[in-house]
Amino acid sequence: MTAELVRGQNHPLVEVRLEIRVSAGTPIVAGATLGDENGTVHGVEWVAHPGSPLLPGVEVSRQAAAEHRLAVDLDAVAEAVHRVGVLLALPTGIAGPTSFGSVPAPFVAVTGLDGTEVASYTITGLTAESAVVALELYRRQGAWKVRAIGQGYAGGLAELLADQGLPQARQLAAGIFKAVEQGMARSVPAPPPLPSDGGRSRQPAGPAPGPDQSDASPNGQHPQGNPGPYGGPPPSGPQGTQPAQTPADPPAGYVTGPTPTNTPPTPPQTPAGGPIDYSHPRRQNTAPPPPPTAPPAQPGQPAQPVAGDATGWSMEERLYNQVWGMFEDLARTTAAYRSAVDFADTRMEKELDEVLSDPRSRIGGQGDAARETARAKHSQLVDQARQVLDRDLAQLAAEADVVEPALPPAYARWDNPVWHAYRVPMEMPMALRLGDLHLPESDGLRIPMLIRLPLERGLWIDSGRTGSVDGTFFDSHELRRLALDSAVAHTARLLAVHPADEFTVHVIDPAGSGAQSLAPLVRAGVLAGPPAVGAAGVTDVLARLTQRVDLVQMAVRGGAADSLPPGFDTSQQLLVVNDFPHGFDDRAVNQLRYLADEGPAVGVHLMMVADREDAAGYGPLLDPLWRGLMRLTPVPDDHLADPWVGHAWTYEPTLTPPGSRVLDTVLAQVAQARGQRNP
């Protein structure tokens, strides 16, 4: 599974022979720098560029192109080399853009020789910069890792090289661009877009209801875009497109096209008088493999649903896209039904107004007949719309019955049998299930609410007084307990879907009121330490995490992410805060806001269990905090607004079944895996 990196995040490299793919949408220059332990580039012979594309262990393209493939053999680099930086620059002297802010965000991916994608990074946030350090492969304690850098330079390639300690930076940059300009490296235009619909392939039972829905989505974007309540970036590739690559071996029974072999690709051939051909003979630059083929339907019967009925490079990505497609389909068909009912109501009101406006037909048999006719037309229109809705709901329900048992642990409910075969994963999944979503018209149909990983915003479990959608009311003590139980379930799932030692959890429980709910986490020994209690405990935990955010930010901004203190914990951090604002002074509140705002970008995340009314004394000071967190509830509540179609989705948390030991079993395996990693 591909690790989709954010700026400053790293990922281990298992293979040493790699390929780095670059896609920019406009011709750019790609190169590589070799640095020592401090990242210093000691001379021009430590830079691979179009004019000098070959260095020991590194080969770059000879051309300025919209797409590049750089070959890297980490076993072949010199012993003094500890860092391999991938740099991108816009060429000068030729017609074209002058800053990355005016071109699509560059996309960089690290793949194995068989085309399997290891890690990817979309470089966002660039404005006036014309050169950028995209990725860095670095050696630490004998192992190689990749880190997303994304450091741009408005001064261009010369400033970039000078920042890495190269004395001849300006002369080398001028020489590189001169080589491009004179034709030593031929510019290649961006390839035409791949013929892919980007969505899932569906076989509806009949004509689609309502207005044209071909490009509609609950948030006004394509399904591959930012998905409404789900949140997060597109599954992979720049601007929501899927980069062409050879998929990994799919599960048996699924049609994915030609299967790549494990034979290393033929070395590039150099035609006489021409540039090297960097294309892989065994790689197919095609769209993602098609979804699995459903069994043929009987005449007059709808097609049978299939798990994974969506495009994607892996079964996990197919299921993610299929769940999102189900969400969209439910939103669309419900919107069409509500629109039809509104039309029927408006038409009946208009016809009744016409009857009442004529004094001759206002009373008597003629008026009664006209009113009865209007009501009959209304009932007919509503019944027709309901029949279409029921047909679509039946199809979605059948699809949900097939998809739910096929979901991996990160997407599955706690009562799914997949947890009985749970093993600690080797890589982080692309998304996580936070609960279920449903609408009043389809109360029996639940759509998994998936959120992309790593988390881009904190979570707020609202323990305030609220009424559930079924009219049940809970007292404040029961709501606080349910809220913390929900937070523990979310925390356990986050621990379960991350590799061992790559997700650390801290807990603040100032009054010690959550001891019973926190018992599974404490008993399993998966916390970084005992839950912090009292004002002193709050101060200590917040100070350590704030310092961590400061250190990582300074290291990333200074391009010295490898110079963090020895023994620095590089795992993702989660802070669970219970019973806020008890035990928090003004300084602690400001530190909490700082963590909520700045923490996610450097791997520090926040989960708060709080009642907003308890913090009302702070006034508008905390309004940005509440707005910046994703609000969840411990009981079903219709608070998730869908602005595109106007739906209010009911959110329902996923809790462990009463009496189930699944939480303890999963946490015990997490603790055991950590013990094996750190005996």
Side-chain angles (χ1 to χ4, degrees):
M1 187 188 68
T2 304
E4 297 180 9
L5 305 180
V6 297
R7 186 176 182 182
Q9 186 181 1
N10 59 35
H11 185 74
L13 296 175
V14 179
E15 302 179 48
V16 294
R17 299 183 65 189
L18 303 166
E19 184 181 72
I20 299 174
R21 295 187 293 106
V22 180
S23 178
T26 189
I28 62 172
V29 176
T33 59
L34 306 182
D36 59 15
E37 291 181 340
N38 299 319
T40 303
V41 180
H42 291 280
V44 295
E45 66 277 6
W46 287 48
V47 182
H49 55 84
S52 178
L54 287 173
L55 290 180
V58 178
E59 182 177 4
V60 303
S61 174
R62 295 178 180 268
Q63 51 194 352
E67 294 191 355
H68 290 271
R69 290 190 176 96
L70 285 64
V72 178
D73 186 349
L74 297 174
D75 277 347
V77 299
E79 194 66 27
V81 174
H82 288 261
R83 301 189 188 186
V84 179
V86 178
L87 58 90
L88 310 175
L90 293 169
T92 61
I94 61 175
T98 59
S99 67
F100 279 108
S102 59
V103 300
F107 175 78
V108 188
V110 180
T111 72
L113 292 182
D114 60 354
T116 302
E117 197 169 288
V118 178
S120 64
Y121 174 42
T122 302
I123 310 172
T124 58
L126 299 178
T127 55
E129 298 88 345
S130 59
V132 61
V133 179
L135 294 176
E136 180 182 69
L137 313 180
Y138 66 98
R139 174 162 41 193
R140 191 166 189 177
Q141 298 177 349
W144 285 92
K145 294 184 178 182
V146 58
R147 177 186 289 116
I149 301 296
Q151 178 64 53
Y153 295 85
L157 185 57
E159 183 182 355
L160 183 155
L161 295 173
D163 191 47
Q164 299 198 10
L166 184 65
Q168 310 92 335
R170 190 169 300 278
Q171 295 88 330
L172 178 59
I176 293 174
F177 291 138
K178 191 67 173 177
V180 175
E181 184 179 357
Q182 291 180 349
M184 289 181 62
R186 182 177 54 191
S187 294
V188 178
L194 296 174
S196 171
D197 60 2
R200 63 177 188 160
S201 173
R202 305 190 61 79
Q203 298 178 353
D212 179 20
Q213 302 168 346
S214 59
D215 293 323
S217 73
N219 63 343
Q221 298 182 11
H222 189 276
Q224 301 286 358
N226 186 22
Y230 290 177
S236 56
Q239 300 183 343
T241 60
Q242 184 70 37
Q245 66 179 58
T246 302
D249 292 340
Y254 291 92
V255 180
T256 60
T259 302
T261 66
N262 293 325
T263 306
T266 305
Q269 303 297 319
T270 309
I276 294 177
D277 179 9
Y278 286 88
S279 63
H280 279 242
R282 300 185 187 277
R283 174 171 299 176
Q284 301 198 8
N285 293 323
T286 61
T293 304
Q298 298 296 326
Q301 298 294 324
Q304 296 299 312
V306 177
D309 181 18
T311 56
W313 291 106
S314 65
M315 189 60 175
E316 180 190 20
E317 187 175 347
R318 289 176 179 176
L319 288 169
Y320 175 86
N321 290 335
Q322 184 172 15
V323 168
W324 168 243
M326 294 167 60
F327 173 86
E328 275 213 325
D329 288 349
L330 180 56
R332 290 169 175 169
T333 189
T334 304
Y337 169 73
R338 293 180 180 180
S339 177
V341 172
D342 289 343
F343 171 77
D345 292 341
T346 303
R347 177 174 175 174
M348 183 178 69
E349 291 176 1
K350 182 179 179 180
E351 292 177 347
L352 291 177
D353 288 342
E354 291 177 353
V355 172
L356 295 175
S357 63
D358 187 352
R360 295 171 299 177
S361 61
R362 189 176 302 169
I363 57 177
Q366 185 178 358
D368 292 340
R371 284 189 285 269
E372 187 64 29
T373 301
R375 294 190 182 98
K377 291 180 180 178
H378 175 272
S379 298
Q380 182 182 9
L381 289 174
V382 172
D383 289 344
Q384 289 177 349
R386 187 70 210 191
Q387 290 176 5
V388 175
L389 176 65
D390 289 342
R391 181 201 68 193
D392 293 340
L393 292 181
Q395 183 175 345
L396 283 170
E399 186 173 12
D401 291 340
V402 173
V403 170
E404 190 70 45
L407 295 177
Y411 302 174
R413 297 174 57 92
W414 284 111
D415 57 1
N416 193 310
V418 72
W419 288 105
H420 297 306
Y422 166 76
R423 294 294 182 270
V424 177
M426 297 299 293
E427 292 183 338
M428 180 181 68
M430 67 184 299
L432 180 85
R433 186 173 190 161
L434 288 181
D436 295 327
L437 299 172
H438 63 91
L439 293 170
E441 291 85 352
S442 55
D443 188 59
L445 179 61
R446 299 294 191 270
I447 305 296
M449 178 181 174
L450 305 181
I451 183 172
R452 293 298 299 269
L453 292 178
L455 297 173
E456 294 188 346
R457 58 193 298 202
L459 303 177
W460 166 31
I461 317 299
D462 190 356
S463 60
R465 191 176 290 273
T466 181
S468 65
V469 292
D470 60 0
T472 304
F473 285 87
F474 301 85
D475 61 44
S476 59
H477 295 291
E478 180 68 8
L479 271 176
R480 292 177 189 273
R481 184 190 65 80
L482 290 174
L484 189 53
D485 287 346
S486 179
V488 169
H490 293 316
T491 302
R493 185 183 291 267
L494 283 164
L495 284 165
V497 303
H498 282 82
D501 288 343
E502 291 194 16
F503 198 82
T504 303
V505 178
H506 311 263
V507 175
I508 291 179
D509 186 21
S513 58
Q516 181 178 355
S517 296
L518 294 170
L521 299 175
V522 176
R523 188 166 53 242
V526 293
L527 299 179
V533 297
V538 172
T539 302
D540 177 64
V541 174
L542 291 178
R544 285 189 282 112
L545 290 178
T546 302
Q547 183 184 35
R548 175 190 177 87
V549 172
D550 290 338
L551 283 174
V552 177
Q553 280 187 338
M554 288 188 294
V556 172
R557 290 171 181 170
D562 206 27
S563 61
L564 292 168
F568 187 85
D569 183 9
T570 59
S571 65
Q572 299 277 314
Q573 308 285 312
L574 174 68
L575 173 60
V576 181
V577 179
N578 182 41
D579 206 15
F580 176 81
H582 182 83
F584 283 73
D585 56 18
D586 290 345
R587 176 180 173 83
V589 169
N590 286 330
Q591 288 177 321
L592 193 69
R593 285 188 54 189
Y594 177 73
L595 293 177
D597 293 339
E598 305 294 336
V602 292
V604 178
H605 311 285
L606 180 63
M607 182 186 298
M608 289 184 58
V609 181
D611 180 0
R612 187 169 182 173
E613 292 299 321
D614 292 343
Y618 288 94
L621 175 67
L622 291 181
D623 286 350
L625 174 65
W626 305 119
R627 288 196 299 265
L629 301 175
M630 176 182 289
R631 178 176 176 257
L632 304 176
T633 55
V635 295
D637 187 73
D638 57 351
H639 68 279
L640 287 178
D642 187 345
W644 195 81
V645 289
H647 296 336
W649 290 85
T650 296
Y651 166 79
E652 185 175 339
T654 55
L655 301 175
T656 56
S660 173
R661 302 284 299 173
V662 62
L663 209 63
D664 293 326
T665 302
V666 169
L667 291 175
Q669 290 209 32
V670 172
Q672 181 182 4
R674 292 186 172 187
Q676 293 173 352
R677 292 283 297 271
N678 301 299

